[in-house]
Amino acid sequence: MIETAQVMVVTPHPDDAEFGAAGTVARWVREGKSIVYVVCSSGDKGTSDRNMNPEELARIREQEQLAAAKVLGVKDVVFLHYTDQALEDTPEFRKDIVRQIRRYQPEIIVAADPYRRYLWHRDHRIAGQVTLDAVFPYARDHLAYPDLLEEGLEPHRVREVWLWATEDPNHRSDITDTFDIKLAALRCHKSQVGDFPGLEQWLRRRARDMAKGENFELAEAFHRVEIWW
Ligand SMILES: [Zn+2]
């Protein structure tokens, strides 16, 4: 039996989705939507601590991601275990994303916008691009990855993609009522934000900026793509 989710969040590393989309995720959970996270890399290079080894860091960050998912009410977290700072646009990586799309059959996919023009974490650029490619055409077409059909994973049409960290926002999601949950989820990533003074103020100011021109106070901004075919 295939267990579906209405929303799939593809995050390059633990914590990116919390920065980009956790307020929206929390709102969807309140509305009764089921959410799955797909975590591409476990972030094994994300430290300035010279005494930390990559395996231990990955283990810690996976626990932090699971804790954040619990705070948000995310029902499932899939770790793909790619090496941090080593994501590449390969058929294998694309197929791993396609497999999860076909498995969970989400209506909405949330990912990092790959199209920031200048400095952008390479893993975020690659993960965003590979996710868009996986949505269309690879998840949709039965002749793409025919072996997935043999695994019982039928083609699936995603209806919308929401991209966070975009330079070209066309949708602002109201997170005024779920900002505190976003903050609590973000604080679960202790190895990343533990010594970040003024996290709440910084996050609130950013959310307020994203809500400019809207009739609500706090927002997350996305480039939202609706898929009609
Ligand atoms: Zn990241």
Side-chain angles (χ1 to χ4, degrees), residues 15-229:
D15 84 356
D16 297 321
E18 276 64 62
F19 277 110
T24 304
V25 165
R27 214 192 64 211
W28 280 331
V29 169
R30 277 190 182 174
E31 290 168 2
K33 283 188 164 59
S34 55
I35 320 272
V36 60
Y37 267 35
V38 176
V39 185
C40 302
S41 154
S42 296
D44 50 273
K45 291 189 171 60
T47 186
S48 54
D49 178 355
R50 299 278 179 110
N51 297 314
M52 175 64 75
N53 74 66
E55 294 75 25
E56 174 67 1
L57 182 58
R59 198 190 59 74
I60 290 169
R61 296 193 66 182
E62 288 183 8
Q63 291 307 313
E64 291 173 347
Q65 184 64 84
L66 290 171
K70 198 168 175 198
V71 166
L72 294 170
V74 168
K75 76 165 192 175
D76 227 345
V77 181
V78 177
F79 293 102
L80 297 182
H81 298 295
Y82 280 85
T83 302
D84 193 3
Q85 299 184 9
L87 291 183
E88 294 294 343
D89 184 350
T90 63
E92 292 72 28
F93 181 29
R94 196 186 317 126
K95 184 177 176 180
D96 278 339
I97 303 291
V98 169
R99 178 182 283 110
Q100 300 308 325
I101 293 173
R102 291 192 182 185
R103 178 179 168 199
Y104 286 99
Q105 303 173 11
E107 291 160 26
I108 301 173
I109 297 231
V110 187
D113 190 325
Y115 299 120
R116 292 179 71 101
R117 279 169 295 179
Y118 301 112
L119 288 183
W120 193 211
H121 196 303
R122 180 177 170 76
D123 286 348
H124 294 206
R125 189 186 311 123
I126 304 271
Q129 184 63 62
V130 168
T131 301
L132 284 170
D133 292 341
V135 166
F136 171 80
Y138 295 88
R140 187 199 67 170
D141 290 353
H142 74 281
L143 291 176
Y145 305 117
D147 48 327
L148 290 182
L149 276 184
E150 287 163 25
E151 290 178 28
L153 297 171
E154 291 291 321
H156 177 69
R157 288 170 190 259
V158 173
R159 306 312 329 179
E160 294 182 31
V161 181
W162 294 35
L163 300 169
W164 74 71
T166 183
E167 292 177 343
D168 182 22
N170 62 2
H171 182 75
R172 287 164 177 84
S173 163
D174 182 359
I175 64 159
T176 311
D177 292 340
T178 53
F179 177 84
D180 290 344
I181 304 175
K182 175 184 173 97
L183 181 64
L186 202 48
R187 287 202 196 284
C188 292
H189 297 279
K190 288 192 188 76
S191 70
Q192 305 301 301
V193 303
D195 54 359
F196 188 167
L199 176 66
E200 178 173 358
Q201 290 82 343
W202 176 81
L203 202 64
R204 191 177 286 280
R205 193 168 59 239
R206 216 163 143 257
R208 200 172 280 136
D209 286 347
M210 287 185 189
K212 271 193 183 123
E214 301 287 346
N215 61 359
F216 44 81
E217 189 198 344
L218 302 172
E220 285 169 343
F222 298 91
H223 188 87
R224 181 179 175 186
V225 183
E226 294 181 77
I227 303 166
W228 298 104
W229 54 81

